[in-house]
Amino acid sequence: MTVTVIGCDGSALTPAASAALAGASVVAGARRHLVSVTVSPAAERIVIQHLDTALDAICAARAPAAVLASGDPGFFGIVRALRARGVTPVVIPAVSSVALAFARLGLDWTDALVLSAHGRAAGPVLAAALAHPKAAILTGPPEAATGQLRSGLLAAGRTVYAAERLGAPGERVRDLTRHSAPEVTDPHVLISLAAVPEPVPAVPEPVPAVPEPVPAVPEPVPAVPEPVPAVPEPVPAVPEPVPAVPEPVPAVPEPASPVAAAASPVAEPGPASWLAGHQGAPAGWALPEADFEHRDSMITKAEVRALVLARLGPGPGRTIWDVGAGSGSVAVECARFGAWAIAVESDEDQCGRIRRNAAAHGVLLQVVAGRAPDVLVGLSAPDAVFAGGGDDDVLAAAVKAGQPRRVVVTLVSVDRVRGVCEMLAGSGYEVNGTQLQAARLAGLPGGSLRLAGANPVFVIWANQGKEPGLPASPTAQADRAGRSGPGATP
């Protein structure tokens, strides 16, 4: 039996595709595809409504079969499902719907994250799209009715386009940002675009420091009227370097304007990449504290952050809550791994630091100003929660509200360790932890070195059930040790 999978993009079929269709005794496809081609009256038609049922009929055929599919059937398409059933099909692809969608917008898509929501929960798909500045989502029929994905993207401030019925007579591509409650037809591709934050907002903090000494000048000026005329001479020398600052600023919007004119207000394309979509793990993590703006060293230290990241397991499609985020160093690092990080912080000044740190590292995340549990209502459900700040009540509220699979907590006070462990165990988690105390190399006179000890920190992590790659809880370790101890059956 020969199965030929033919891609459809609205253009005329190739001679090879037409020949395969003419010689097929069984032709399967969505209703819209079957009516768009000429099928022999003698051929059996199978309308694909439930994939497994259609695959059963295709695989049971003893004569040549043709399967019609959208775009490139090897890209999130039916080819994989056929091969899983032991069928090696002949594939005649067309232009993929993702390529068509970006083409209609006049956008390149090497750096786009491509996601499929067919038969999948919307949560991980939405999290991955929110964490990436450019994403394409292949949707399923439920999205046309519920709008869960497009609503979530629009609520996060993304520019969202719906490319509907690409290649068909009813094709349309619309900016959903301009429509309050648009109806979207199936099939469609969602394109989500976000401007990558620029590290410009980091400038305002030092600026206020300049005006303070300036008012101090006028006070002595009235006291010495005669030397005042001598002051204007050096003053003109100051404005000359000042224009040098504004000149590079206008240079930023200029390259961005062609993209904005072509499709959207998205920032200019980044440097050319050899890797499509998500760029994988960052080149380095557990970054030095100096890489983040923080207040009075109130920041999770790099050595502690390394273990915290390992236990949180951030990545595309995962949502991480950073509760009591402080400067946001953990949230920013999670976002660098491709996770959708939500930083919850009650201090408005710290919220500003989180935004500036995210901009400095070029990542997208959500900052929620306020105190748990009130501000946790309505947030995307987390896969993991990190609590580096806040008291035990805040932690308990976050765990109850989020119901994450993983929880990671850092504590300085040994008095809190037992209470936190008991609370997490009582909530059904398997709890483990360690105490970290780093000693960093520091210089001595004459070029010698010493070790400068940092304050010890307790890192507690908890998981719902045993997860691969994570150590067992102390209770489980003790149970195993008891079973393998004296008198145990080998």
Side-chain angles (χ1 to χ4, degrees), residues 21-33:
L21 190 62
S25 298
V26 175
V27 179
R31 197 178 304 277
R32 67 182 185 279
H33 292 143

Side-chain angles (χ1 to χ4, degrees), residues 308-333:
V308 167
L309 291 169
R311 294 295 178 255
L312 287 174
R318 295 178 62 80
T319 299
I320 312 290
W321 286 3
D322 183 354
V323 181
S327 63
S329 61
V330 171
V332 168
E333 293 237 40

Side-chain angles (χ1 to χ4, degrees), residues 32-143:
R32 67 182 185 279
H33 292 143
L34 291 172
V35 299
S36 68
V37 298
T38 301
V39 178
S40 170
E44 178 189 357
R45 294 178 178 229
I46 300 174
V47 179
I48 299 180
Q49 293 178 315
H50 301 287
L51 183 59
D52 286 337
T53 303
L55 288 173
D56 289 341
I58 294 168
C59 294
R62 293 290 176 259
V67 180
L68 303 171
S70 297
D72 183 350
F75 187 64
F76 288 116
I78 199 171
V79 170
R80 183 179 183 279
L82 285 168
R83 291 188 62 86
R85 289 174 173 252
V87 176
T88 302
V90 175
V91 181
I92 305 174
V95 179
S96 77
S97 54
V98 174
L100 283 176
F102 279 108
R104 299 294 190 262
L105 294 172
L107 286 174
D108 64 294
W109 58 290
T110 306
D111 55 343
L113 188 67
V114 182
L115 307 161
S116 174
H118 281 277
R120 295 171 176 84
V125 176
L126 180 60
L130 287 173
H132 205 278
K134 185 187 293 183
I137 306 175
L138 296 159
T139 65
E143 172 61 20

Side-chain angles (χ1 to χ4, degrees), residues 200-231:
V200 178
V203 179
E205 289 225 345
V207 172
V210 179
E212 292 178 12
V214 174
V217 178
E219 293 182 16
V221 170
V224 191
E226 292 183 4
V228 171
V231 179

